[in-house]
Amino acid sequence: MSAILDSGNRRTFQTGAVRDIQEGKGRCDLLPLLPIYNMLRDDILFCVNQFEDSGDPKYLLEAVLQFSTEFDNSVYTMLLEVSIHFEQGAQKYGENNWQKGIPVHCYIDSAIRHYLKYKRGDDDERHDRAFVWNILCAIWTCKEMPQLNGYGVDTDDNVGA
């Protein structure tokens, strides 16, 4: 069983939740996913882009369902595998740390990074599990703590985009 990587450095959110540091890993939540989709024709990245544009977690659910084909085409196998990630996260951060509240953009950042590493073939950790874990936690957060979802909010910056 491949463990969750741990730098030993933590960031703490206002809610009390903690995660491994983000600095030096890139900001995948800032990647322009629509041009990347147009280049790669990757439907999962398109779904995440649709979420970022709308803030509607139904697009994240669609991404997870499409990704389930990576787990012997079984949502059940995928969920059992992701439960291992939940177990390892509980060992690393404490049970249900993620439910204290982490901004959705942090989950999207991490999800996209793990997805790209999975597609690249990195095997230093279970990037498939980590991708799904982040997406499921983002969906939960959108429903239970909508104030932590900054996606789909109209601003002057995206008018006419």
Side-chain angles (χ1 to χ4, degrees), residues 103-122:
V104 172
H105 76 87
C106 294
Y107 290 122
I108 298 301
D109 175 36
S110 185
I112 295 170
R113 182 178 315 103
H114 283 292
Y115 181 70
L116 295 174
K117 287 183 173 191
Y118 171 78
K119 294 300 278 187
R120 186 172 69 179
D122 291 12

Side-chain angles (χ1 to χ4, degrees), residues 120-139:
R120 186 172 69 179
D122 291 12
D123 61 2
D124 55 329
E125 64 179 309
R126 288 294 304 266
H127 295 289
D128 52 351
R129 287 182 192 159
F131 167 74
V132 175
W133 182 89
N134 278 281
I135 294 294
L136 291 176
C137 291
I139 292 168

